[in-house]
Amino acid sequence: MSIFMEKLKKDQRLLSIISFSLVSGWLLSVVFEGQILYNLMKNVNTEGMTHNTIAVLCHFMGLFISGFFIKKQVTARKAMITSTMICILGSVIFFLPFSMLWYISIGVIAFFAGAYIVSWSFYFKIYSQRGQRFKTAASVLIYSNMLMILINGVAVNISSLFGLALACILLVAGLLLTFNLEASAKEKDYCTVQLEKSHQEAFTSLRSLVILCLFILIITINSGLMYRVVLPAFSHHKLLTSYYWAIPYIAVLFLLKSSKNLINQGYVLHIALAMIGVSYIFFMWLDRSVRSYLMINTLMLAAFGVFDLFWWSILAEFFDYSDNPGKILGIGLSMNVLGISIGGMVGENLFNTGETYLNASLIALIIVCMMVVLLPILHMQLASFFKNDIFLFQSIDMEKHHQKIVVSELKQNKKFTDRETEIIELLLKGYTYKAIAKHLYISENTVKYHVKNIYQKLNINNKMGLIKIFSEEEEKLV
């Protein structure tokens, strides 16, 4: 075990992924729409939504506020350790007889769970280079939801207290791993491109972030409707819903993460929107059988997986335009929580007023139509902002020795100069023209001149073409 931990300490990216996934698995199974609290409340004949409302609102506040106070990695590590300890103590309270203390604990641990996520963003930024952040986001979402399925299944089908005990074990394991995270980055080993931001760049990045947050807020209203309308409609299939629910979500994340070819994110997001629309149409028309559940849930959760990975990865790309990644990730994910909260309240209101499933589906379809209008605007804004920097949905992530082989072959076949070869390597790492100029001590116009020559020799028009060529060459090597 000690040898394994020593290896893990050396790979801070993997260590941060595992520690976060453990805590997030607890969060998804206990605090945030988790089945453990739902079942514990039922056991004490308290089936209202008060506990969930408290949890969602406090988690929103933890995400939104914490980034304004946690500004350095050393502070972030302390906040992660403190937050995890508070969450452990707060979770233990649910083993005690029901009292008002339960509600206080729900609010406290939900808030500090948000603070934990905000703090973790520093490790997300520093130890996952640009080409890795997409896969890091996919990994934490996959592992967290796998743990959530396991614990929720135990809580629903065996014992809610047993499920709570397992969730607490995840927290303890996450805490132990967090102690092994570095308090400050070793700059020589982990470096990110520092960008000099003009006022125009700062304004553009803020505008892009606002549009992205608006997109997250609106689309996740459908997630809230799912929690309050769709899932309860199939609750009589207890065993199936407890284990299958997030399987399509995990499957699509794994598929996107494993894909070696570049994915046109505009097409993928439009397909995901269509899947949400079709799933709610099926929800209106089909019965509440197992077959209907499999069709509806598969389409819906796969689509939500696409969108979650999309904004996690895009929020991560904003890290390089801010000194505080916690503020970026915290505000972005708080919009996710707020959207789910709004959708949940709408869903609750529909049931309380005796409305049918038709009304909920119509609301969902209206949201989809709004997203069809907003998505091209979002896509153009992000593409314009990041056009010389990174790729919106997935960038190349070749092994270093593969990249060297491909670069060497292209240099020989296309007669690249040494300077052009250096620029190609930096382009593949996600450097901007300005960052390349600074790194190579040349002017930005000189960089543009070399890039133009590179594109002409490769017969391509943009950096996407360069990435495509390297992806194809890597496949030949594998």
Side-chain angles (χ1 to χ4, degrees):
M1 178 63 79
S2 59
I3 297 176
F4 172 74
M5 283 305 304
E6 286 300 320
K7 290 182 178 179
L8 203 55
K9 285 181 184 179
K10 294 179 181 179
D11 189 347
Q12 287 285 305
R13 173 175 175 263
L14 179 59
L15 180 62
S16 66
I17 288 173
I18 296 175
S19 60
F20 179 86
S21 299
L22 290 168
V23 175
S24 184
W26 161 84
L27 172 65
L28 294 174
S29 56
V30 178
V31 180
F32 194 74
E33 298 286 353
Q35 291 301 308
I36 290 177
L37 276 184
Y38 275 113
N39 281 275
L40 287 174
M41 289 296 180
K42 287 181 180 179
N43 292 341
V44 294
N45 297 317
T46 306
E47 299 189 31
M49 296 305 301
T50 305
H51 76 279
N52 187 72
T53 302
I54 293 173
V56 170
L57 291 179
C58 290
H59 191 53
F60 167 80
M61 294 299 293
L63 287 168
F64 193 88
I65 293 175
S66 299
F68 293 92
F69 300 98
I70 301 170
K71 300 178 181 180
K72 296 182 179 179
Q73 184 181 346
V74 61
T75 308
R77 181 175 178 272
K78 292 178 181 177
M80 290 171 70
I81 293 172
T82 302
S83 297
T84 309
M85 288 179 172
I86 291 173
C87 291
I88 292 171
L89 293 174
S91 298
V92 170
I93 288 175
F94 301 118
F95 288 104
L96 303 176
F98 175 73
S99 67
M100 186 57 65
L101 193 60
W102 279 33
Y103 291 114
I104 296 173
S105 178
I106 289 169
V108 171
I109 63 178
F111 180 89
F112 279 97
Y116 179 95
I117 293 172
V118 167
S119 304
W120 176 79
S121 66
F122 285 85
Y123 293 88
F124 189 7
K125 174 184 178 178
I126 294 170
Y127 298 110
S128 292
Q129 298 299 305
R130 291 183 176 187
Q132 296 177 316
R133 288 176 190 162
F134 176 87
K135 290 192 173 183
T136 296
S139 295
V140 296
L141 291 173
I142 289 171
Y143 301 150
S144 300
N145 279 272
M146 288 175 65
L147 292 170
M148 180 268 292
I149 290 176
L150 172 64
I151 296 175
N152 276 352
V154 170
V156 172
N157 299 291
I158 301 176
S159 165
S160 54
L161 289 177
F162 187 26
L164 178 61
L166 288 177
C168 290
I169 291 173
L170 292 186
L171 276 179
V172 173
L175 176 63
L176 294 176
L177 291 181
T178 303
F179 278 117
N180 291 286
L181 290 172
E182 293 177 346
S184 59
K186 297 177 182 178
E187 192 172 339
K188 63 180 181 179
D189 296 325
Y190 306 102
C191 58
T192 57
V193 183
Q194 298 298 320
L195 302 177
E196 297 178 1
K197 295 184 292 182
S198 65
H199 291 298
Q200 181 61 34
E201 282 178 316
F203 175 76
T204 305
S205 65
L206 178 61
R207 183 176 60 188
S208 301
L209 182 60
V210 169
I211 295 175
L212 177 61
C213 287
L214 178 63
F215 179 87
I216 295 171
L217 173 64
I218 297 175
I219 193 64
T220 48
I221 292 175
N222 278 337
S223 297
L225 287 172
M226 174 196 67
Y227 282 118
R228 293 291 170 269
V229 180
V230 179
L231 293 183
F234 293 98
S235 60
H236 52 286
H237 303 300
K238 188 168 73 170
L239 184 63
L240 176 63
T241 56
S242 60
Y243 286 109
Y244 180 74
W245 174 61
I247 294 297
Y249 182 94
I250 295 171
V252 77
L253 290 174
F254 183 80
L255 180 63
L256 292 172
K257 177 187 175 184
S258 304
S259 176
K260 291 186 178 181
N261 296 321
L262 287 173
I263 300 171
N264 187 311
Q265 66 126 34
Y267 291 150
V268 171
L269 294 180
H270 278 97
I271 292 171
L273 270 178
M275 290 168 63
I276 292 177
V278 171
S279 67
Y280 275 102
I281 290 173
F282 283 173
F283 185 63
M284 282 191 292
W285 288 348
L286 299 179
D287 57 18
R288 301 295 167 248
S289 65
V290 170
R291 183 176 64 177
S292 299
Y293 171 75
L294 291 174
M295 294 173 62
I296 294 167
N297 188 76
T298 300
L299 288 170
M300 192 175 293
L301 268 296
F304 289 149
V306 171
F307 283 116
D308 280 1
L309 182 54
F310 165 66
W311 56 64
W312 268 78
S313 60
I314 295 298
L315 287 169
E317 299 305 348
F318 278 101
F319 288 171
D320 294 305
Y321 295 85
S322 172
D323 295 329
N324 189 347
K327 191 181 297 183
I328 300 294
L329 190 65
I331 292 175
L333 294 185
S334 71
M335 294 300 104
N336 181 14
V337 174
L338 182 60
I340 292 175
S341 178
I342 293 172
M345 288 187 289
V346 171
E348 278 294 299
N349 184 65
L350 290 175
F351 269 103
N352 291 336
T353 56
E355 299 290 345
T356 63
Y357 296 135
L358 173 65
N359 298 77
S361 297
L362 289 176
I363 293 172
L365 291 174
I366 291 172
I367 293 172
V368 169
C369 290
M370 292 171 62
M371 290 298 96
V372 170
V373 175
L374 183 60
L375 187 55
I377 299 173
L378 173 67
H379 184 251
M380 285 192 303
Q381 181 67 42
L382 293 175
S384 174
F385 180 52
F386 291 131
K387 63 182 179 181
N388 289 324
D389 182 18
I390 44 91
F391 298 97
L392 296 178
F393 205 61
Q394 185 179 11
S395 58
I396 193 166
D397 188 24
M398 296 177 66
E399 294 184 24
K400 289 184 178 179
H401 69 280
H402 284 171
Q403 182 169 310
K404 288 182 179 180
I405 293 173
V406 175
V407 169
S408 178
E409 290 179 351
L410 286 177
K411 180 180 181 180
Q412 183 176 358
N413 296 336
K414 300 296 182 179
K415 308 299 182 184
F416 286 129
T417 65
D418 291 339
R419 179 64 81 193
E420 288 170 346
T421 303
E422 288 178 318
I423 290 175
I424 288 174
E425 292 174 342
L426 294 174
L427 285 171
L428 293 172
K429 292 179 180 179
Y431 279 54
T432 63
Y433 291 168
K434 184 182 292 186
I436 292 174
K438 186 176 181 180
H439 185 80
L440 298 178
Y441 302 101
I442 58 179
S443 71
E444 194 170 343
N445 286 333
T446 302
V447 174
K448 293 178 181 178
Y449 171 77
H450 286 304
V451 170
K452 182 180 179 181
N453 289 338
I454 291 168
Y455 289 170
Q456 286 178 345
K457 291 179 181 181
L458 293 174
N459 195 28
I460 57 178
N461 298 318
N462 50 44
K463 198 154 54 175
M464 184 65 76
L466 179 65
I467 292 291
K468 185 176 181 181
I469 287 175
F470 270 76
S471 295
E472 292 172 349
E473 293 298 322
E474 184 194 19
E475 288 186 356
K476 295 177 183 178
L477 295 174
V478 177

